[in-house]
Amino acid sequence: MLTLALPKGRLAEESIELMLERGWLSGRPDPDSKELIFNDTKGKVRILLVRSQDVATYVEQNSADAGIVGWDVLLEGGYDLLLPLDLGIGKCRLSVAGPKGWNLSSGERKVRVATKYPNIAKDFFLKKGINCEVIKLYGSIELAPLVGLSDCIVDLVSTGGTLRANNLEEIEVIMESTARLVFNRSALYTKRAETGEFLDSFALTEKRL
């Protein structure tokens, strides 16, 4: 049995749909259940439901054989993982956003940036030649510029609805992100047959997408 770490929420739902299509699951986990481990009746996959930022850590530390996680999370963390496949799901973009009328050249002082992605944000502003102070937050990022905590934010954008609802606008896209299927090195060695079959089935899905 393969142990697969999935991020809670929409990406888990898309990932489970792919596994149902490829015959790895007999059904979906109960959406009303509070359990964080799902053992499918087919006995082929065990699913761990964790925070998106923790998926790569569970895989890297061998608590899961594989995981599905956004490219943004992988770049931010610099994990030691094998990245065999872009699944093409969970599409979004990591962008700079700020109050309407604000732009990257507004003022000459240090720009204060609120984000869950301090490494990516620092690298982006450094390449732009802009001095910045990064303020790391774990949620409600859009609130920061509204209360004067930051000048702008770096965060994931899908539809842009949350930005508009908070009178913010997207200023520049830093990167596009999709979900990646990742493995730890140990699983590819100790469970060669299972991981090979799993990877092949998802590769077929990628071609279909």
Side-chain angles (χ1 to χ4, degrees), residues 21 31 36 64 71 80 82 143 150 169-170 173:
E21 291 176 6
L36 300 177
W71 183 232
D80 180 23
L82 299 177
L143 181 62
S150 71
E169 59 184 6
E170 195 170 4
V173 175

Side-chain angles (χ1 to χ4, degrees), residues 28-125:
R28 295 177 175 82
D30 182 356
D32 297 322
S33 174
K34 301 298 182 183
E35 294 182 357
L36 300 177
I37 299 178
F38 173 70
N39 291 296
D40 188 66
T41 56
K42 281 193 172 184
K44 299 173 74 174
V45 175
R46 178 173 71 153
I47 293 176
L48 311 181
L49 294 171
V50 302
R51 289 182 58 195
S52 60
Q53 288 84 359
D54 294 335
V55 170
T57 300
Y58 274 85
V59 180
E60 186 179 47
Q61 297 299 320
N62 297 324
S63 293
D65 301 310
I68 295 177
V69 61
W71 183 232
D72 53 291
V73 174
L74 294 171
L75 283 185
E76 175 64 26
Y79 301 95
D80 180 23
L81 296 170
L82 299 177
L83 313 173
L85 198 60
D86 180 352
L87 296 175
I89 61 175
K91 293 180 180 178
C92 57
R93 56 193 181 275
L94 188 65
S95 297
V96 180
K100 293 181 179 179
W102 190 89
N103 58 63
L104 293 175
S105 60
S106 295
E108 297 181 356
R109 62 178 177 79
K110 182 184 293 184
V111 174
R112 293 171 300 156
V113 186
T115 185
K116 290 182 286 189
Y117 301 89
N119 295 325
I120 294 176
K122 286 177 183 177
D123 184 64
F124 171 79
F125 282 94

Side-chain angles (χ1 to χ4, degrees), residues 129-201:
I130 299 174
N131 191 17
C132 74
E133 174 189 352
V134 173
I135 302 165
K136 186 171 183 179
L137 296 177
Y138 295 91
S140 302
I141 307 297
E142 295 84 3
L143 181 62
L146 303 182
V147 297
L149 179 61
S150 71
D151 299 302
C152 64
I153 65 173
V154 169
D155 202 15
L156 290 180
V157 178
S158 182
T159 65
T162 304
L163 293 179
R164 291 190 294 272
N166 290 282
N167 296 313
L168 301 175
E169 59 184 6
E170 195 170 4
I171 295 166
E172 186 168 339
V173 175
I174 297 176
M175 59 173 285
E176 301 285 344
S177 179
T178 51
R180 309 298 167 102
L181 174 62
V182 299
F183 290 90
N184 64 53
R185 299 176 187 279
S186 175
L188 285 181
Y189 178 75
T190 60
K191 298 183 177 181
R192 188 172 301 175
E194 296 95 327
T195 56
E197 183 184 356
F198 194 71
L199 180 55
D200 287 345
S201 66

Side-chain angles (χ1 to χ4, degrees), residues 9-36:
R10 181 172 63 90
L11 186 52
E13 294 172 4
E14 293 184 55
S15 302
I16 288 168
E17 187 63 35
L18 285 182
M19 284 190 283
L20 284 167
E21 291 176 6
R22 307 316 300 178
W24 283 90
L25 295 176
S26 59
R28 295 177 175 82
D30 182 356
D32 297 322
S33 174
K34 301 298 182 183
E35 294 182 357
L36 300 177

